[in-house]
Amino acid sequence: MIPLLCMLMVIGYSAMLPVEGFPPGDGPVDLVVLESATVTEIALARGSELISGSAEFPGMLNIAKASATYDPGSGILTVYSQYPFTANYYSAEYSVGDDYELGLISGTYHDCYGAALEHMVLLYRNQDYDGVLEEAWSVFYPGSNPLGREMCVVLLVAGISGVRTRTNAGIPPEEAMEWLEDVYDAGYNLSGELLHQVALPGYPEGLSITRDEYIAALGELATILDSVDCPDKAAEVREAIETIR
C-alpha cells in the first residue's frame, strides 16, 4: 500500500469521498480525488493509506454533489457527479479487482434537460397531459435549462389539450381552467414568461411541436378564455398568434 501523504504531495489532492457498499473489513473505504494539470483521477484509500492505483474520471468531478457506491455482487464501483448549478451529471463505472485495482469500464454524460424534453413530447403524443405537467415540475435548476423555451411550447399544447379533455368529460370550463393555471405556473417556473408568449416574436424552427400545432393551441386557448368571460386575456392570446404568423 502507498502512504497517502506521499501520493498527495506528488500529484495534488482535491477531496475525499466516502464509498458506500464495501464490506467493513479493516475499516471504511474512501474515494480520493487526485487532480493534475490535465486530468482528474481517483483512487481508493483506507484511513491514511491508498489501497489502489489511480484511474481517470473522464468527466468533471464536482465533489460537493458527488457520490460513490460499490456493488459487492458485481464488483462494480459507480461514481456520480452532478455538474454545478445544473441537473446534468456524469457517471462512471469501474471494475474493482481483488487487490482493489480500478479499471474504467464506462463513462457517460447525462443530459437531464434533453431527456426531460423527450419524455414530455412522448407523454403529449400519448395524450398523458397530466404527465407532461408533472415532468415540467420535476425539472431541477430551470434557470440553467437551455431547452426551457421548447419545454414550454410542449407544455402549452398539452395544457390546452388537457382542458379540452376535461370539458369533454363534463367538467365545467372554470374548473378546467384552474388546472390550466397550474400549467401556466409550471411554464413560468421553466421560463419566467407566460406560456403564450414564450415563442415570441417568431416561432423558432426545428421544435418538436410544429408552428401549426402551436397556433391551433393558442386559438383554442383564446376561445376558452372567451367562454369563461376573460375577453382581455383572449385578445392578448390572439395578438400573440398574429405575431407568430
Side-chain angles (χ1 to χ4, degrees), residues 62-114:
N62 176 22
I63 200 69
K65 291 194 173 181
S67 64
T69 305
Y70 176 70
D71 178 10
S74 64
I76 300 297
L77 171 71
T78 301
V79 182
Y80 162 97
S81 173
Q82 184 177 341
Y83 283 45
F85 308 109
T86 177
N88 297 336
Y89 66 95
Y90 195 94
S91 64
E93 291 188 339
Y94 300 84
S95 60
V96 182
D98 293 338
D99 55 358
Y100 292 100
E101 288 305 305
L102 300 177
L104 177 63
I105 298 172
S106 65
T108 306
Y109 176 76
H110 300 265
D111 178 6
C112 295
Y113 300 114

Side-chain angles (χ1 to χ4, degrees), residues 1 6 10 23 53 55 60 82 89 95 117 142 145 148 154 170 175 184 193-194 203 207 213 221 226:
M1 293 188 292
C6 294
V10 174
M60 189 201 72
Q82 184 177 341
Y89 66 95
S95 60
L117 174 60
N145 180 7
V154 179
E175 186 175 335
Y184 259 73
E193 297 181 83
L194 296 176
Y203 195 78
L207 299 192
E213 284 181 281
L221 173 60
D226 279 332

Side-chain angles (χ1 to χ4, degrees), residues 4-13:
L4 184 55
L5 179 59
C6 294
M7 177 65 78
L8 300 185
M9 290 174 62
V10 174
I11 298 180
Y13 163 62

Side-chain angles (χ1 to χ4, degrees), residues 11-78:
I11 298 180
Y13 163 62
S14 173
M16 294 178 70
L17 187 69
V19 180
E20 301 293 332
F22 273 107
D26 297 323
V29 175
D30 293 313
L31 186 81
V32 180
V33 184
L34 308 167
E35 293 188 351
S36 69
T38 56
V39 297
T40 297
E41 294 185 315
I42 62 170
L44 298 176
R46 180 174 279 127
S48 61
E49 294 192 1
L50 290 178
I51 58 175
S52 77
S54 61
E56 181 181 359
F57 185 81
M60 189 201 72
L61 190 45
N62 176 22
I63 200 69
K65 291 194 173 181
S67 64
T69 305
Y70 176 70
D71 178 10
S74 64
I76 300 297
L77 171 71
T78 301

